[in-house]
Amino acid sequence: YMRSCLMSNCQRRFFRLLVSACAGILAVLYASCATAGDPPRIDYSDEKSILYEIETASKTLNTDPLEGLVRSRALLDNTNGFPEVQNLFNQASERSRAEFDIAVAAGRWSDALVLFRSLKALGIAPLEWSEALLLENRLLAWKNEGNLTLAHLDEPVQSTPEDEAPPSVIVSNMIKGTVTVWVDKGLRIENGVGYADRVIGSGFFIDHRGYLITNYHVIESEVNPEYEGYSRLFIKTGDDPDARIPARVIGWDPVLDIALLKTEIKPQAVFSLGTSEDLKIGNRIYAIGSPAGLEQTLTSGIVSAQKRRLLSLGNVLQIDAPINHGNSGGPIVDEAGRVQAVVFAGIEPYEGLNFAIPVEFLRIILPALYAGGKVTHPWTGSFGKTAQLAGSTAAMGVSVVYTLTNGPLSVAGMPAGTVVTSVNGVRVRTLEELQGVLIRERPGTIIKIAGIPPELLDESRFDSFTETEWYIRLSQRPELPGKKIFTTDVESRALLPVFGLDVERVGATKKYLVRSVVRGSIADESGFSEQDVVEIREVLFDDENKAVSIQLYTKRRKSGYLDAFIGLAASLDSPSYF
């Protein structure tokens, strides 16, 4: 029965029943395989694997129609001669459209947009609706709720920075709209003596109903489930700095380090969100905050640099305005008082070396912050690098170096080595551009990715290729992608995205031969090269510092194949994950 030849229809039905009855056993077997050899993958060339995937996709139709839709589309694109696949895709399409109708009827416009964009990517969106019409309805709902901040989110006033101080009336108004954020964490015990434990930051109002913005790291103890101590959140205004006004956290984003707070007072002034896209190096900016707890301090400086890669999902601004403890979460504004960025970091030993989160990121996540809870971001379960044309510095797209086992790209059938060139028809040439497109989507959305698979890639004739298309359902980005990879995939594959080592097994032990080394990676900087021999001795996770270290026994070509023990350490997050 388990022959490699094609099965009859009778055999197919029998096998589906067998798969359904033994799904739990197969899952356990797959999990055990992940620790012993190559991880399980969807093999679209194997009929048994296809039938198992059909069964898996069928089970998701009622609980998660979009998951069933994207899996059935992957089966449709990667198989031939299975009438069950077309039927499954039709069922998933109908179920997803029904889910869209339910979201529209309930006025859940953000959910309806996810469903519509997913259906649109597949070319099966309802003809009576458009994305513009859905956005119009969501805008009307925000206005009816009295949320004018979100209602005017897509109407930023363009900034025209000039090298002169803002008028005194604007300065006075800006200061009235800022507060000191105060987190009381009780007592800290050191050497048997208790000391007051406080976190001081800054914040600024964006809504007349009492909503304000600060940094996530300022209020982390309020929402982090791993924190077990005492924590109480207050704000202080300039009018009465001795009064502690209770506040609560509405939404928070650990990745972009932004949080939305709510207090029950009516602010005297609120800030308008500008757009930092027009800021240039040398433009004058102003920072307002509470350095060392000194409320409503105004400092000035210039934009020192742009596109500093300090966040996992995007670039930040480097500024030279004086920033100290207590400034975190305060606004960076232009001469007109419009917010251009949010202060979030400084390097203490270096005066004038400070950083701020561009306001564009705040604008992207603000609806999710108002919705409440932890903001999540999408990802494709991949690690990649900007690809360049041979003999040129011109970027051609994003090379997929690694795909997570059973992650979005793996399910779609996209092989590692593919160069991604567009997302939903939007051309992407660099990893930063790709992440800039993805961050605007919600997890769970189906997107269309176009690119060149490795077997067709010829950089010298790049423009002559017809791109291949894959349909990807974005999953939720883990807070620590590297740890997700290590706990999901086998160690040998995890070495590639985390340390930059692409290896293949040699024998039955944890001994491997290095096939390639990612340029610029930790392994590259540590002197590893092709044909080196490595043996994994120990992997240790440092949850406090969000890092992983690995101990290797190695024989390196550059060292004359002499025996050596080497330790490597890497962050569990990286700007190269997407």
Side-chain angles (χ1 to χ4, degrees):
Y1 165 68
M2 303 296 285
R3 296 193 304 266
S4 60
C5 60
L6 293 179
M7 300 179 186
S8 67
N9 289 335
C10 181
Q11 288 174 320
R12 289 181 186 175
R13 287 194 294 271
F14 176 78
F15 189 78
R16 283 198 297 272
L17 290 174
L18 180 63
V19 166
S20 179
C22 302
I25 298 174
L26 287 173
V28 172
L29 290 174
Y30 278 178
S32 65
C33 288
T35 63
D38 289 337
R41 288 178 170 276
I42 301 172
D43 184 0
Y44 290 109
S45 65
D46 179 73
E47 190 166 2
K48 297 183 293 293
S49 179
I50 292 170
L51 291 173
Y52 178 75
E53 183 61 16
I54 290 174
E55 187 70 25
T56 301
S58 299
K59 290 180 179 179
T60 67
L61 292 185
N62 291 326
T63 57
D64 194 347
L66 287 183
E67 182 66 19
L69 183 60
V70 76
R71 284 182 175 272
S72 61
R73 180 61 198 231
L75 284 162
L76 201 62
D77 291 339
N78 291 284
T79 63
N80 186 26
F82 284 83
E84 301 95 333
V85 171
Q86 183 64 59
N87 183 50
L88 178 64
F89 179 74
N90 293 339
Q91 291 181 43
S93 301
E94 293 174 5
R95 188 68 188 87
S96 298
R97 281 194 287 261
E99 199 68 22
F100 169 77
D101 292 336
I102 293 171
V104 167
R108 295 187 284 108
W109 300 110
S110 293
D111 293 338
L113 277 165
V114 169
L115 288 156
F116 182 85
R117 287 170 177 166
S118 299
L119 294 169
K120 181 181 178 182
L122 290 161
I124 54 175
L127 298 178
E128 65 273 20
W129 284 92
S130 67
E131 187 167 330
L133 185 56
L134 290 169
L135 290 171
E136 183 180 330
N137 277 276
R138 187 174 69 168
L139 181 63
L140 182 61
W142 285 340
K143 289 180 178 178
N144 291 336
E145 295 169 1
N147 195 332
L148 299 181
T149 303
L150 290 182
H152 298 296
L153 195 59
D154 293 330
E155 303 171 5
V157 180
Q158 297 295 318
S159 300
T160 55
E162 298 176 2
D163 192 13
E164 59 182 27
S168 59
V169 63
I170 291 181
V171 172
S172 175
N173 207 45
M174 289 190 299
I175 287 178
K176 291 178 182 178
T178 58
V179 299
T180 300
V181 179
W182 181 280
V183 181
D184 183 357
K185 299 176 70 174
L187 293 178
R188 181 181 70 255
I189 306 300
E190 293 183 4
N191 299 322
V193 179
Y195 298 91
D197 192 3
R198 308 286 186 266
V199 177
I200 300 176
S202 302
F204 57 98
F205 286 106
I206 60 167
D207 191 321
H208 285 287
R209 298 175 298 170
Y211 291 90
L212 64 142
I213 294 295
T214 189
N215 280 146
Y216 164 75
H217 75 257
V218 173
I219 55 83
E220 180 179 0
S221 60
E222 289 285 296
V223 296
N224 188 345
E226 297 180 3
Y227 180 77
E228 298 177 346
Y230 177 88
S231 181
R232 293 293 183 271
L233 173 62
F234 306 94
I235 66 165
K236 294 182 177 183
T237 64
D239 292 341
D240 189 0
D242 293 327
R244 297 183 185 179
I245 303 168
R248 67 183 190 275
V249 183
I250 301 299
W252 63 95
D253 187 335
V255 177
L256 294 180
D257 197 16
I258 294 175
L260 178 70
L261 312 184
K262 175 72 166 68
T263 184
E264 299 310 316
I265 66 171
K266 183 176 177 61
Q268 297 184 52
V270 299
F271 282 82
S272 298
L273 303 182
T275 170
S276 54
E277 292 180 348
D278 295 329
L279 282 181
K280 298 179 177 62
I281 295 175
N283 283 152
R284 184 163 293 280
I285 45 87
Y286 303 85
I288 309 174
S290 303
L294 300 173
E295 292 88 358
Q296 300 182 332
T297 299
L298 175 71
T299 59
S300 68
I302 62 170
V303 177
S304 303
Q306 296 174 310
K307 298 184 178 180
R308 295 301 192 200
R309 195 67 166 163
L310 296 185
L311 293 177
S312 301
L313 296 179
N315 300 316
V316 301
L317 298 176
Q318 180 182 326
I319 58 176
D320 75 341
I323 299 296
N324 295 283
H325 287 292
N327 273 109
S328 293
I332 296 295
V333 299
D334 60 15
E335 280 77 7
R338 292 181 286 261
V339 177
Q340 301 299 324
V342 181
V343 175
F344 88 106
I347 301 179
E348 289 185 359
Y350 303 96
E351 184 177 352
L353 193 55
N354 305 302
F355 303 95
I357 305 163
V359 72
E360 273 69 33
F361 288 126
L362 174 57
R363 297 168 61 83
I364 289 171
I365 67 171
L366 201 53
L369 289 173
Y370 269 101
K374 182 180 178 180
V375 176
T376 59
H377 295 283
W379 84 321
T380 66
S382 309
F383 174 92
K385 305 290 263 183
T386 298
Q388 296 177 336
L389 291 169
S392 170
T393 59
M396 60 181 287
V398 179
S399 177
V400 180
V401 177
Y402 165 91
T403 61
L404 181 68
T405 300
N406 289 329
L409 292 190
S410 177
V411 169
M414 179 186 290
T418 298
V419 173
V420 174
T421 55
S422 70
V423 177
N424 287 340
V426 178
R427 182 78 169 89
V428 292
R429 292 178 173 80
T430 66
L431 181 58
E432 290 79 8
E433 289 180 359
L434 175 58
Q435 290 173 325
V437 174
L438 295 180
I439 198 174
R440 288 169 168 77
E441 302 289 349
R442 277 180 51 184
T445 306
I446 297 174
I447 60 172
K448 180 172 68 175
I449 290 182
I452 305 172
E455 66 271 14
L456 298 179
L457 188 61
D458 181 349
E459 295 176 353
S460 63
R461 298 189 300 112
F462 170 68
D463 292 332
S464 66
F465 283 114
T466 300
E467 296 171 325
T468 302
E469 295 178 346
W470 295 269
Y471 296 94
I472 314 295
R473 192 188 185 200
L474 299 170
S475 60
Q476 181 176 317
R477 187 184 195 274
E479 206 164 314
L480 298 175
K483 191 165 188 178
K484 170 74 172 179
I485 289 170
F486 259 106
T487 55
T488 303
D489 219 331
V490 294
E491 286 180 349
S492 58
R493 276 177 48 83
L495 292 179
L496 177 56
V498 178
F499 295 103
L501 278 174
D502 181 20
V503 299
E504 61 180 338
R505 185 184 294 276
V506 178
T509 64
K510 288 189 174 184
K511 189 175 290 185
Y512 304 94
L513 184 69
V514 176
R515 289 185 296 204
S516 63
V517 178
V518 177
R519 182 176 297 180
S521 67
I522 292 171
D524 184 30
E525 294 174 353
S526 300
F528 284 91
S529 59
E530 293 80 0
Q531 303 304 311
D532 288 351
V533 177
V534 298
E535 182 178 340
I536 301 174
R537 290 298 178 93
E538 190 174 19
V539 178
L540 299 172
F541 292 100
D542 183 350
D543 291 332
E544 182 178 352
N545 294 305
K546 301 178 180 179
V548 60
S549 62
I550 188 168
Q551 296 179 12
L552 300 173
Y553 164 74
T554 179
K555 294 182 178 181
R556 294 187 295 176
R557 182 166 53 90
K558 292 180 179 179
S559 302
Y561 291 106
L562 295 176
D563 294 357
F565 288 92
I566 292 181
L568 301 178
S571 171
L572 289 170
D573 200 355
S574 163
S576 295
Y577 294 117
F578 67 92

